[in-house]
Amino acid sequence: MASSEDLLKRLGVTIDAETLRLALTHRSYAYENGGIPTNERLEFLGDSILGYSVTEALYRDYPDLPEGELAKRRSAVVSTRALAGIARHLEVGGHIYLGQGEKRTNGMDKSSILADTMEALIGACYLCNGIEVARDMVMRLVSPLLTDAEALGAATDWKTYIQEYAASHQLGPVIYDVTGSGPDHARVFEARLIMGGESYGTGHGNSKKEAEQEAAGDAWRTLQSVPKA
C-alpha cells in the first residue's frame, strides 16, 4: 500500500488517518473483513459537495452561458470518466483498500471505483476541514476540465454516438458482449463492443449499462485514433 502522506500532498489537504482510511475502504474489502464500514456514506457526501462547488463556479464564471450549456459542462466535470481521470492523475488507485476479487480484476484502475473513491475523499476533506477547504480542493482538481472541450465529451451518451457513427459509416451492427463476475454484493461487469465482427473497445462497471457506456467511450477513442483516409 502506497504512503497516505504522498496522497495527501497531491490532494493538498490534511485528513486524519481514520477518516482517510474510511474514504479509501471499498465495499469489497469491507465485506471480506467482517462487514466494517465502507466509503459509501462519504461518497454520498462528497458527491453533493462536488456538484455544489462545480455548479457555483460555472454560474459565477460563465455569466453568458444558458442553463442547458451550464448543465452539460457540469455533467462532464462530475462524470465517472472525468473523476476517474483525476484519480489516475493523483495515483489514488494504489491507496484503495480492495477485496481479493477486485484486486484480481485490477479494481484499482476501474473507472467506477476510482470515481467513487474521489467523491469519498472530497467528503472526507469536508468533514476534516469544512466547506471552504473542500471547495478549494475540488476546484483545484476540476478547473482544467471546465474549459476543456474534450472533457465535454464525457457528458455525451457514448452509446448513441457509436450507434450513429456506425450507421453513417456503414460499419455494421453494434453489439455489446457483456459478462459478469464476482459475488452478488460486488458484481463486476465487462463489456466488449463489436462492430462488423471486429472488437473496438472494452469497459468495466458495477452494472451492465456502466460497462457498455465505458466500452462505447473506448471504442469512440479508438475510432478517433484511426488515420483519416
Side-chain angles (χ1 to χ4, degrees), residues 1-11 20 24 83-97 107-109 113-115 117-118 121 141:
M1 184 68 68
S3 168
S4 59
E5 292 183 4
D6 291 339
L7 176 60
L8 291 175
K9 286 179 181 178
R10 290 191 290 272
L11 289 171
L20 180 61
L24 296 169
L83 290 175
I86 292 170
R88 290 188 180 100
H89 177 71
L90 295 172
E91 300 178 5
V92 170
H95 298 270
I96 303 173
Y97 293 91
M108 65 180 291
D109 194 47
I113 292 177
L114 289 171
T117 304
M118 277 309 308
L121 287 168
L141 298 176

Side-chain angles (χ1 to χ4, degrees), residues 62-191:
Y62 297 91
D64 298 326
L65 285 184
E67 183 272 341
E69 184 64 23
L70 292 173
K72 181 180 179 181
R73 293 191 180 216
R74 179 178 61 191
S75 295
V77 174
V78 304
S79 70
T80 295
R81 178 187 170 202
L83 290 175
I86 292 170
R88 290 188 180 100
H89 177 71
L90 295 172
E91 300 178 5
V92 170
H95 298 270
I96 303 173
Y97 293 91
L98 296 168
Q100 293 304 313
E102 286 292 356
K103 286 182 179 179
R104 286 194 295 271
T105 57
N106 198 31
M108 65 180 291
D109 194 47
K110 289 179 181 175
S111 293
S112 58
I113 292 177
L114 289 171
D116 290 347
T117 304
M118 277 309 308
E119 290 180 337
L121 287 168
I122 293 169
C125 178
Y126 165 75
L127 286 183
C128 293
N129 302 284
I131 187 62
E132 292 302 326
V133 173
R135 184 171 56 181
D136 287 346
M137 184 185 82
V138 167
M139 296 318 301
R140 284 200 309 275
L141 298 176
V142 307
S143 287
L145 299 177
L146 290 174
T147 55
D148 186 350
E150 182 180 355
L152 296 182
T156 301
D157 180 351
W158 291 119
K159 291 181 68 174
T160 299
Y161 246 53
I162 288 294
Q163 196 70 43
E164 293 174 349
Y165 188 94
S168 63
H169 290 76
Q170 299 181 332
L171 295 177
V174 179
I175 299 172
Y176 293 91
D177 180 18
V178 183
T179 57
S181 60
D184 290 342
H185 71 276
R187 196 77 168 157
V188 176
F189 295 89
E190 179 176 357

Side-chain angles (χ1 to χ4, degrees), residues 158 162 200-203 212-223:
W158 291 119
I162 288 294
Y200 280 82
T202 60
E212 289 175 356
Q213 281 285 3
E214 191 170 299
D218 188 38
W220 178 254
R221 289 185 288 275
T222 298
L223 290 167

